[in-house]
Amino acid sequence: MKLLVTGGAGYVGSNCSARLVEAGHEVVVVDDLSTGHADAVPEGCRLIQADFADVASTVLGEGFDGVLHFAAKSLVGESMQDPAKYWHGNVVTTLRLLDAMREHGTPRLVFSSTAAVYGEPDEVPIPETAPTRPTNTYGATKLAVDHMITSYAAAHGLAAVSLRYFNVAGAQGRYGERHATETHLIPLVLQVATGQREHIQVFGDDWPTEDGTCIRDYIHVTDLADAHLLAIENATAGKHAIYNLGNGTGFSVLQVIEACREATGHEIPAKVAPRRAGDPAVLVASSERARTELGWKPERADIATIVQDAWAFTQSR
Ligand code: UDP
């Protein structure tokens, strides 16, 4: 297939583009490089440096079989301080993309959604049928896009899949996490091991969990990329399928730090800090639907493997 990847110079987008190329698809990346890196775009992909919303109509006019839409604003804290940036950057722009797809009859869409659409869960592991009550603007904008996609699929026959990621981590070769503003636990912990940071802050040790720290479901970015390949290849016209992507096993902040100590051989000092606003205590995915319907099977689910691969990437920089 000929596929357009928005945000293909970013962490998840570059890993997924590499997987699509490896599977034999033709990939065109559109990325404004506001947070992505041109050297992260895999070989064999054409890069168009632009805001996807501005060029979608022109580029899709070339004729594409599908779009994988990664480009988005994704900092939870910033989304609360500057909501307009998120409603415009995630919702208005995606509406323009959907309209351009409609205009040119682009048949398939895979959208990067998030576990943040669920907010504080009533039950874990979280199924796709759980209530969606996002606790931050970032999650609310992703949920709004999911709703837009549902109605476009029903009315216009779009074959659409939303993938709701839990905590993406790990790396594959030169495709790893390198954000100018880093907020994610594993890369921050590894910055302590490289000496860029003196210690890691643990946001709360009085949560209702066994060791008192928050529990999250970490998924390897290469397993995530496999799910995108299955999603675009199996999308069904007129249907908007929604899948959670996680390993179904949670690890606490302290367990992640311990895994990083083992992978790096560094003592990694940790200091308890206040809870971070908006953090649920436990977020673990049920990915049964992705396993059953897409035949997806995570291959690198072990936290030690995830951390080792992230560390190999960090050391290669
Ligand atoms: N966390 C932490 N210290 C940090 C960064 C994150 O204790 O410096 C915790 C955070 O409170 C959450 C978990 O690590 O419980 C994962 O956070 P991250 O920002 O990586 O992902 P999120 O779950 O917010 O998507």
Side-chain angles (χ1 to χ4, degrees):
M1 285 190 274
K2 182 173 175 181
L3 301 170
L4 185 69
V5 176
T6 75
Y11 168 49
V12 177
S14 62
N15 268 282
C16 290
S17 296
R19 186 74 189 91
L20 295 168
V21 170
E22 189 186 287
H25 298 294
E26 180 185 348
V27 173
V28 177
V29 167
V30 55
D31 198 305
D32 64 4
L33 302 182
S34 58
T35 55
H37 308 271
D39 64 2
V41 176
E43 269 159 43
C45 300
R46 170 154 61 104
L47 169 65
I48 300 170
Q49 188 183 338
D51 182 330
F52 71 89
D54 294 338
V55 299
S57 178
T58 323
V59 175
L60 288 174
E62 281 179 26
F64 279 82
D65 299 300
V67 176
L68 293 101
H69 180 34
F70 299 95
K73 307 288 171 217
S74 62
L75 299 174
V76 170
E78 184 186 57
S79 77
M80 303 304 280
Q81 311 294 326
D82 189 0
K85 185 170 177 180
Y86 281 70
W87 288 106
H88 283 280
N90 291 350
V91 179
V92 175
T93 52
T94 303
L95 188 56
R96 289 172 64 191
L97 173 67
L98 285 172
D99 284 335
M101 292 178 69
R102 214 186 138 198
E103 179 190 351
H104 296 291
T106 315
R108 293 176 197 82
L109 173 69
V110 174
F111 174 60
S112 294
S113 190
T114 169
V117 301
Y118 297 113
E120 188 76 51
D122 296 331
E123 55 168 328
V124 284
I126 304 172
E128 292 82 356
T129 48
T132 43
R133 298 175 300 222
T135 52
N136 54 62
T137 303
Y138 165 67
T141 62
K142 288 284 183 173
L143 182 60
V145 172
D146 275 348
H147 286 311
M148 294 191 321
I149 295 172
T150 300
S151 52
Y152 272 56
H156 307 307
L158 182 67
V161 181
S162 285
L163 298 175
R164 292 182 172 164
Y165 311 163
F166 282 62
N167 289 63
V168 188
Q172 174 188 210
R174 64 192 183 90
Y175 310 115
E177 212 166 352
R178 45 181 173 136
H179 299 121
T181 310
E182 191 52 76
T183 61
H184 292 129
L185 180 64
I186 292 174
L188 286 175
V189 175
L190 295 177
Q191 285 180 5
V192 182
T194 58
Q196 285 168 270
R197 189 173 289 275
E198 276 183 12
H199 64 271
I200 183 73
Q201 291 188 309
V202 175
F203 295 149
D205 67 349
D206 55 353
W207 295 94
T209 61
E210 203 164 305
D211 67 18
T213 65
C214 287
I215 291 176
R216 293 288 180 274
D217 185 338
Y218 295 88
I219 169 173
H220 200 292
V221 70
T222 57
D223 286 330
L224 197 76
D226 286 345
H228 285 76
L229 179 64
L230 290 166
I232 196 80
E233 289 184 345
N234 291 289
T236 308
K239 183 178 169 196
H240 179 204
I242 296 179
Y243 299 107
N244 288 344
L245 293 179
N247 286 311
T249 310
F251 292 93
S252 73
V253 173
L254 292 182
Q255 286 175 318
V256 170
I257 296 171
E258 197 49 47
C260 292
R261 289 182 179 130
E262 277 166 31
T264 62
H266 192 282
E267 62 178 318
I268 308 183
K271 289 189 183 164
V272 177
R275 289 183 177 192
R276 188 172 66 176
D279 262 347
V282 181
L283 281 180
V284 175
S286 165
S287 298
E288 271 317 300
R289 189 186 278 182
R291 288 168 194 260
T292 315
E293 292 186 15
L294 288 178
W296 178 66
K297 193 172 162 289
E299 305 282 349
R300 301 179 81 73
D302 182 38
I303 191 72
T305 307
I306 292 173
V307 167
Q308 278 158 16
D309 287 355
W311 178 233
F313 174 76
T314 304
Q315 284 181 303
S316 71
R317 303 291 314 156

